[in-house]
């Protein structure tokens, strides 16, 4: 059974993610350039950021890595009781990375199972993130990074991101229907807005053949 990048994107949305894009791992290389710029401007951060270089060279740690599937989960849909407002950040109250009973956690594990059932080798880091998630999300066309360094989609900044490495060179960069209007941050600069507004939908829908025609089933 042939699985395309669009099949993966549609499944991610069906399972509960808000947005999904897929990029080749090589598209993370310029993250290192921006990282070096940040360390040059703020030398005191070098010890902290030096280890982040690995995010730009994923194949060094994950030989299987050919592409990155980036997904966003919109937690702005949840109502926070008034007695918790201004005391605990909404992100921490709704973060589904660790609570197996949460909607976000179950969406993530179902999607990971779907990828494996389709015959992909996969890798992810649900706690910390397997790469620089906001940069990957911007490259994948699902949002931009604004001046406050938050990641925004058409629905705003109440999004948390996940990334899954896969062993096939697929690519899907959607063209959003509405671009956020604020300029990008210093680290991202104008390239983020340019990337957001000029990216062509579905640059490549390279099909693959699943090892077994009956393995690609819904989780």
């Amino acid at each position: 059974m042939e699985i395309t990048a669009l099949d993966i994107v549609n499944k991610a949305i069906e399972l509960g993610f808000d947005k999904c894009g897929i990029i080749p791992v090589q598209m993370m290389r310029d993250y290192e350039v921006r990282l070096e710029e940040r360390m040059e401007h703020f030398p005191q951060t070098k010890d902290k950021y030096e280890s982040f270089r690995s995010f730009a060279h994923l194949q060094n740690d994950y030989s299987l890595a050919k592409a990155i599937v980036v997904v966003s989960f919109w937690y702005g849909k949840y109502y926070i009781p008034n007695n918790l407002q201004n005391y605990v950040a909404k992100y921490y109250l709704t973060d589904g990375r660790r609570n197996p009973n949460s909607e976000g956690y179950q969406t993530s594990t179902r999607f990971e199972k779907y990828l494996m059932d389709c015959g992909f080798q996969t890798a992810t880091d649900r706690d910390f993130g397997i790469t620089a998630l906001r940069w990957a999300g911007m490259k994948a066309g699902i949002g931009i990074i604004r001046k406050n360094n938050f990641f925004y989609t058409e629905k705003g900044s109440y999004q948390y991101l996940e990334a899954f490495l896969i062993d096939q060179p697929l690519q899907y960069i959607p063209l959003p229907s509405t671009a956020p209007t604020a300029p990008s941050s210093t680290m991202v600069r104008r390239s983020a807005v340019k990337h957001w507004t000029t990216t062509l939908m579905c640059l490549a829908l390279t099909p693959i053949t699943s090892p077994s025609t009956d393995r690609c089933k819904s989780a």
Side-chain angles (χ1 to χ4, degrees), residues 80-89:
I80 304 301
N82 290 333
N83 63 319
L84 294 178
Q85 296 284 355
N86 302 320
Y87 290 99
V88 182

Side-chain angles (χ1 to χ4, degrees), residues 53-68:
R53 290 183 186 274
S54 62
F55 290 159
H57 304 280
L58 291 166
Q59 289 174 313
N60 291 346
D61 295 321
Y62 303 93
S63 58
L64 67 89
K66 296 292 192 301
I68 309 169

Side-chain angles (χ1 to χ4, degrees), residues 164-207:
F164 300 83
L165 304 182
I166 58 174
D167 63 338
Q168 296 294 331
L170 303 184
Q171 182 169 312
Y172 185 96
I173 303 177
L175 182 65
S177 57
T178 304
T181 56
S184 56
S185 68
T186 301
M187 186 174 182
V188 178
R189 298 186 177 181
R190 295 180 181 178
S191 61
V193 175
K194 181 179 179 182
H195 175 82
W196 179 274
T197 56
T198 61
T199 300
L200 295 177
M201 176 176 281
C202 191
L203 295 181
L205 291 179
T206 308

